Amino acid sequence: MPITIRIQVSPKEATLLHVLKRKVAQLNSIPEKDINHIEIVKRSIDARQKNIKINLTLALYINEDYITKLTHLPDYPNVSNSEQIIIVGAGPAGLFAALRCIELGLKPIIIERGKDVRSRRRDLKAITRDHIVNEDSNYCFGEGGAGTYSDGKLYTRSKKRGDVNRILDLLVGFGATPEIKVNAHPHIGTNKLPDIIASIRKKIIEQGGEVWFDQRVIDFNIKNSEIDGVILHDGSKVTARKVILATGHSARDIFELLYKKEIVIEAKPFALGVRVEHSQQFIDQIQYKTKERSAYLPPSPYSIVKQVNGRGMYSFCMCPGGVIAPCATSQGEVVTNGWSPSKRDQPTSNSGIVVELRLEDFKPYAKFGPLAGMHFQAAIEKKAWHLGGETQRVPAQRLTDLVQGKVSQSLPETSYKPGLTSVDMGGVFPDFIHNILKQGFQDFNKSMRGYLTEEAVAHAPESRTSSPVRIPRDRVSLEHPQIKGLYPCGEGAGYAGGIISAAIDGEKCAEAIAKVLKG
Ligand SMILES: Cc1cc2nc3c(=O)[nH]c(=O)nc-3n(C[C@H](O)[C@H](O)[C@H](O)COP(=O)(O)OP(=O)(O)OC[C@H]3O[C@@H](n4cnc5c(N)ncnc54)[C@H](O)[C@@H]3O)c2cc1C
């Protein structure tokens, strides 16, 4: 059995196994020759002091052979002739639900409105270059879901949701670097995610599952309060006794359909604000307290939370060395989010900076019942589109001008490719959000000195932070309380926030179904 030890070393030492070996041997009075192998199990950075340290958890193989531990995928059975389960949506929730269905002997049929991961790229280009949003294929819709062209951050704030390591193991099995299991804040990167997603699809199909693209679900077949399948946009019917609904936080047509059919849904609080871009070098200088980042340190992230006027204002989905992306899902709206390549080597860093919203904020839209929050969100995205010149140009303001309520006379170049329009953010947001942002950025500057700089630019809005609707489900059976056989799943239903938690929730829904069908 290897011995586990924790050690703190310099960033350079952390990369040199022979130095680590010597150090560990000295510190623990072990003859160096007895250490056959050192494995790094966990790695995190402690940048609280100028003298930055790396915390390592190491497994020491003393007088013991080290056998390389390969990550094996489960032994998936062939499910071609098994009962079919419809999964709507090929995001992380849908894909991991499908894999778990196969593991448990059920045949998944994934129905996805968007295109496969490669064909999607053309539509992303069209948004950036021609300002045309394909309503079925964009940054949120298509194979892999909203996380495909992302930073691919793989950490979740809630460890209670389930087995994070199991999902990381599966991702490694499908081609992700084993490093994701070591780093405290792992990420994959936009350039690597598509191949991993394509391998998952390949496996699902090899084992007898099906993955359908360009097929939008427009209705549910329900008989006596029990699901009997779904109806596609061409009118065709697909039958199944169990349907996992994993359509994500941007499937507004699905929320509208549920409401129209009087299937119970609830408004859910979420958060909304701007996406702020700084130069990465600038963030490194603040976070690492040095002029030049050491070659042994990664581009620095940041995470910040403040209470302003009794509300939370916080950083969300920070992308070091990344780019701001146009994430609208319809014409006539502007939405921002961010991505990074695996090396996080872009010269800019960006982060959503969002304000916590409450159900009472949605009162002006009360006539939309449980869709009030969704309409609140859509109204801001539409306003941004008008202010941006009715294109994908994004309303923008230097951070220093935002705080002073001035329209910026000029804007520096940013990574947001469709372009910027200089505005006063007061025109985009309701007063209470605008005022919190104005005060909050001054408060941020007290924790991260220099954050509030005229070189930083706010892009608006960052509005798809989580679902504005919850689709209720029973805590144990995970079925919708009113429609038997319907399993609301993932972020869109309100049970996940991010790639990992959505994947975990997908697995849970598959397990709940297998329990009913297979006992
Ligand atoms: C640019 C960007 C960057 C992000 N970065 C990160 C990150 O670094 N780390 C992280 O953890 N999270 C990130 N996220 C969030 C993350 O992507 C989501 O939390 C996650 O994808 C939610 O998974 P899901 O499966 O529940 O839903 P989604 O991923 O939204 O998938 C839903 C799928 O359902 C499909 N669909 C919708 N309606 C229908 C219909 N009617 N018929 C058929 N199919 C339908 C959609 O096309 C979509 O593919 C990012 C999101 C974006 C947009």
Side-chain angles (χ1 to χ4, degrees):
M1 278 282 284
I3 299 171
T4 302
I5 64 150
R6 289 186 182 78
I7 185 169
Q8 207 176 50
V9 294
S10 75
K12 186 173 178 183
E13 285 169 331
T15 65
L16 303 170
L17 276 179
H18 67 281
V19 174
L20 283 178
K21 194 173 178 184
R22 196 176 317 133
K23 200 155 187 161
V24 164
Q26 275 166 7
L27 285 172
N28 295 278
S29 310
I30 305 166
E32 199 179 328
K33 65 173 176 36
D34 290 354
I35 304 176
N36 283 354
H37 182 76
I38 293 184
E39 184 187 8
I40 300 178
V41 181
K42 278 282 161 214
R43 181 191 298 120
S44 65
I45 300 172
D46 184 349
R48 285 172 299 177
Q49 308 295 328
K50 205 167 185 264
N51 186 13
I52 295 166
K53 294 286 180 197
I54 307 292
N55 294 320
L56 296 176
T57 304
L58 304 173
L60 299 189
Y61 291 76
I62 300 170
N63 290 326
E64 185 185 342
D65 285 339
Y66 169 71
I67 299 156
T68 314
K69 279 174 265 156
L70 293 175
T71 303
H72 292 291
L73 290 175
D75 205 0
Y76 291 109
N78 190 291
V79 290
S80 330
N81 297 318
S82 304
E83 169 150 5
Q84 67 183 38
I85 309 298
I86 292 176
I87 299 172
V88 191
L95 290 172
F96 279 80
L99 288 172
R100 193 75 179 123
C101 276
I102 295 174
E103 228 182 315
L104 298 169
L106 298 165
K107 173 179 176 169
I109 297 189
I110 298 186
I111 303 178
E112 167 57 52
R113 73 194 294 163
K115 297 180 186 165
D116 69 85
V117 76
R118 294 271 162 231
S119 313
R120 246 177 114 175
R121 281 185 196 277
R122 240 170 286 135
D123 298 309
L124 303 187
K125 227 181 234 168
I127 304 177
T128 303
R129 200 186 46 204
D130 310 323
H131 301 248
I132 293 169
V133 181
N134 177 333
E135 303 200 347
D136 289 314
S137 175
N138 46 57
Y139 271 95
C140 293
F141 294 162
E143 188 181 19
T148 307
Y149 297 99
S150 76
D151 184 41
K153 280 179 279 296
L154 298 177
Y155 35 97
T156 169
R157 284 183 199 176
S158 170
K159 296 268 188 289
K160 281 182 271 167
R161 290 192 207 253
D163 190 349
V164 175
N165 288 333
R166 186 184 141 80
I167 303 296
L168 294 178
D169 275 338
L170 287 173
L171 286 166
V172 172
F174 283 107
T177 161
E179 282 282 292
I180 63 171
K181 290 165 60 183
V182 172
N183 290 330
H185 293 106
H187 87 115
I188 294 183
T190 307
N191 48 326
K192 303 232 163 128
L193 280 157
D195 284 346
I196 295 167
I197 287 159
S199 315
I200 294 177
R201 182 219 315 150
K202 197 164 155 250
K203 190 72 192 168
I204 291 170
I205 295 170
E206 266 171 20
Q207 301 310 127
E210 293 180 25
V211 183
W212 304 356
F213 295 116
D214 300 304
Q215 301 290 340
R216 188 177 350 110
V217 167
I218 57 157
D219 206 350
F220 304 108
N221 246 347
I222 297 167
K223 288 184 188 156
N224 302 323
S225 301
E226 203 164 326
I227 200 105
D228 190 40
V230 296
I231 299 173
L232 306 184
H233 67 286
D234 62 2
S236 55
K237 289 182 187 167
V238 194
T239 306
R241 287 195 288 164
K242 306 285 173 196
V243 172
I244 296 179
L245 186 64
T247 43
H249 58 29
S250 292
R252 288 181 176 158
D253 41 6
I254 288 290
F255 296 140
E256 270 160 7
L257 172 69
L258 292 165
Y259 187 45
K260 195 178 86 197
K261 291 181 87 73
E262 298 184 2
I263 296 174
V264 179
I265 54 173
E266 300 156 3
K268 180 183 140 302
F270 60 105
L272 184 148
V274 292
R275 188 153 278 261
V276 173
E277 183 165 281
H278 290 81
S279 82
Q280 181 59 49
Q281 191 185 23
F282 194 81
I283 295 298
D284 288 341
Q285 283 169 355
I286 300 179
Q287 295 296 83
Y288 291 144
K289 302 161 197 77
T290 169
K291 245 183 140 60
E292 270 313 312
R293 167 166 54 90
S294 143
Y296 299 100
L297 288 171
S300 177
Y302 64 84
S303 165
I304 193 158
V305 184
K306 291 281 168 195
Q307 281 293 311
V308 186
N309 301 347
R311 298 230 190 195
M313 171 170 154
Y314 54 92
S315 55
F316 170 81
C317 190
M318 198 268 162
C319 299
V323 161
I324 302 184
C327 294
T329 47
S330 289
Q331 286 295 116
E333 65 187 26
V334 165
V335 177
T336 64
N337 206 311
W339 62 261
S340 316
S342 54
K343 289 192 175 145
R344 289 180 162 166
D345 54 2
Q346 301 300 299
T348 43
S349 85
N350 65 73
S351 179
I353 303 294
V354 295
V355 173
E356 161 205 350
L357 296 179
R358 299 179 182 151
L359 292 180
E360 61 261 30
D361 301 327
F362 309 147
K363 264 199 192 131
Y365 299 89
K367 68 174 179 187
F368 297 106
L371 301 181
M374 187 183 97
H375 283 272
F376 176 97
Q377 179 191 51
I380 289 174
E381 294 168 359
K382 272 196 192 100
K383 224 183 248 180
W385 186 71
H386 285 299
L387 281 170
E390 307 203 340
T391 63
Q392 286 301 311
R393 289 172 75 84
V394 81
Q397 195 171 19
R398 287 183 192 265
L399 224 47
T400 40
D401 291 334
L402 189 157
V403 163
Q404 289 170 32
K406 288 197 315 207
V407 174
S408 302
Q409 291 307 304
S410 65
L411 289 167
E413 240 182 66
T414 75
S415 66
Y416 183 82
K417 289 262 165 52
L420 311 179
T421 302
S422 183
V423 303
D424 175 8
M425 288 298 172
V428 180
F429 297 109
D431 284 349
F432 77 94
I433 297 179
H434 188 217
N435 289 335
I436 290 173
L437 290 172
K438 279 163 100 173
Q439 179 58 48
F441 283 122
Q442 297 177 64
D443 297 352
F444 273 28
N445 202 49
K446 290 176 193 152
S447 302
M448 271 180 77
R449 217 155 266 291
Y451 186 92
L452 181 56
T453 161
E454 64 166 9
E455 294 311 317
V457 180
H459 304 60
E462 168 87 18
S463 47
R464 307 275 176 99
T465 52
S466 71
S467 185
V469 171
R470 173 169 286 107
I471 311 175
R473 69 185 188 192
D474 182 82
R475 287 171 70 92
V476 179
S477 73
L478 306 190
E479 271 177 312
H480 189 277
Q482 190 187 352
I483 309 294
K484 218 165 166 256
L486 179 66
Y487 292 77
C489 180
E491 182 155 35
Y495 302 102
I499 295 168
I500 291 287
S501 57
I504 289 173
D505 201 53
E507 287 209 323
K508 269 196 205 163
C509 288
E511 285 157 16
I513 291 173
K515 200 165 169 199
V516 177
L517 296 180
K518 304 208 141 203

